[in-house]
Amino acid sequence: ESKILVDRGVGRALFRAFRFTPGAQYRPEDRALRAALIAEGSAELGKETLGPWDFIRFSGDGDTPSMTFPKGATMLAVSLGARQ
């Protein structure tokens, strides 16, 4: 589940909040996705475990591994360029 938080007045930036249920998986296929912050819960990205206030930067090349959310999570994300 996701919600657009800001999509006007900030140039090409799009700010979204994602809520993931426990056990959910997410594969960032949006090449415009640039950064995210785990606001609550936890995420696993490769061998890394991320918790609240952990920041993730994406390269934008579409080569981001899948993320899993064992206990569920809320993630705030920033995209540049493309709108979804």
Side-chain angles (χ1 to χ4, degrees), residues 24-62:
Q25 291 188 346
Y26 175 65
R27 169 114 174 109
E29 296 177 4
D30 178 3
R31 291 178 180 259
L33 186 63
R34 293 293 185 244
L37 175 84
I38 303 298
E40 65 180 6
S42 64
E44 294 177 355
L45 179 63
K47 295 180 181 180
E48 296 290 326
T49 299
L50 308 168
W53 299 110
D54 281 338
F55 180 81
I56 310 156
R57 196 183 93 187
F58 300 97
S59 65
D61 62 6

Side-chain angles (χ1 to χ4, degrees), residues 56-69:
I56 310 156
R57 196 183 93 187
F58 300 97
S59 65
D61 62 6
D63 194 26
T64 303
S66 293
M67 300 172 70
T68 58
F69 304 90

